[in-house]
């Protein structure tokens, strides 16, 4: 019996996960949830992921931000039951947003899945927003490699995703002259 359990590890919820329901999705990596026990409405910022900005005041929505946000809205519907898994360390940031991993029930796989990882593997987010909480960092890098090698969404344009975030200029210039983006890195000799 125990063998079976460890094999299905990622379809089972973490034991200390907190039950909640979706109020609404704010952005690709931020959502409002209602904690089941206390009925408190909180804002959850997904750990270790960074989606392009879609709702920052005074900033044009970045490429793929609307797609990322829509993907979140289509996957996480109002009143859906979800679970928040907290990492070690702070549970909230200075804006009082809760920090965690969001587990949702995937109908296509009939199992609980982690939404943070799903955003990355689908190419709607890069691994980012990395501070002291790193429980799933290795898994997320694997998911990112998958999205990258399949050129999914944010990875479909060379140079758009950087270590620091998203380079909209690179996106625009590559969209305008597709041929030049390929030669940028090949000229360096070692």
């Amino acid at each position: 019996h125990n063998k079976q359990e460890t094999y299905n590890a990622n379809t089972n919820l973490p034991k200390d996960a907190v039950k909640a329901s979706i109020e609404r999705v704010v952005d690709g990596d931020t959502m409002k949830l209602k904690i089941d026990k206390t009925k408190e409405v909180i804002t959850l910022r997904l750990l270790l992921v960074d989606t392009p900005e879609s709702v920052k005041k005074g900033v044009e929505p970045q490429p793929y931000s609307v797609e990322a946000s829509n993907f979140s809205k289509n996957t996480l519907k109002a009143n859906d039951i979800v679970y928040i898994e907290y990492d070690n360390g702070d549970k909230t940031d200075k804006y009082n947003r809760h920090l965690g991993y969001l587990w949702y029930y995937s109908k296509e796989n009939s199992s609980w899945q982690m939404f943070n990882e799903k955003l990355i593997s689908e190419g709607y987010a890069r691994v980012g927003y990395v501070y002291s909480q790193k429980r799933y960092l290795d898994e997320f890098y694997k998911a990112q490699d998958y999205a990258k090698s399949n050129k999914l969404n944010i990875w479909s344009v060379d140079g758009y995703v950087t270590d620091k975030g998203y380079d909209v200029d690179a996106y625009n210039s590559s969209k305008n002259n597709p041929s030049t983006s390929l030669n940028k890195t090949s000229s360096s000799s070692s």
Side-chain angles (χ1 to χ4, degrees), residues 149-166:
S149 59
N150 288 287
K151 292 197 180 305
L152 301 178
N153 295 304
I154 60 173
W155 300 103
S156 62
V157 177
D158 283 343
Y160 177 44
V161 185
T162 71
D163 295 346
K164 297 184 179 59
Y166 297 94

Side-chain angles (χ1 to χ4, degrees), residues 73-95:
K73 285 170 182 163
N74 292 332
T75 309
L76 307 170
K77 302 282 198 209
N79 302 317
D80 278 1
I81 297 298
V82 292
Y83 285 83
I84 307 165
E85 177 186 0
Y86 293 99
D87 206 331
N88 306 328
D90 294 333
K91 283 191 173 177
T92 55
D93 67 7
K94 61 177 186 238
Y95 307 110

Side-chain angles (χ1 to χ4, degrees), residues 33-80:
L33 309 177
K34 183 189 272 182
I35 304 289
D36 190 55
K37 213 176 228 161
T38 61
K39 304 297 177 229
E40 179 195 3
V41 174
I42 59 127
T43 301
L44 179 73
R45 172 64 171 86
L46 300 177
L47 281 172
L48 302 180
V49 303
D50 177 36
T51 59
E53 294 283 355
S54 69
V55 291
K56 212 175 197 173
K57 283 188 181 63
V59 177
E60 287 264 302
Q62 294 177 328
Y64 294 104
S65 62
V66 176
E67 290 86 337
S69 193
N70 287 342
F71 177 75
S72 295
K73 285 170 182 163
N74 292 332
T75 309
L76 307 170
K77 302 282 198 209
N79 302 317
D80 278 1

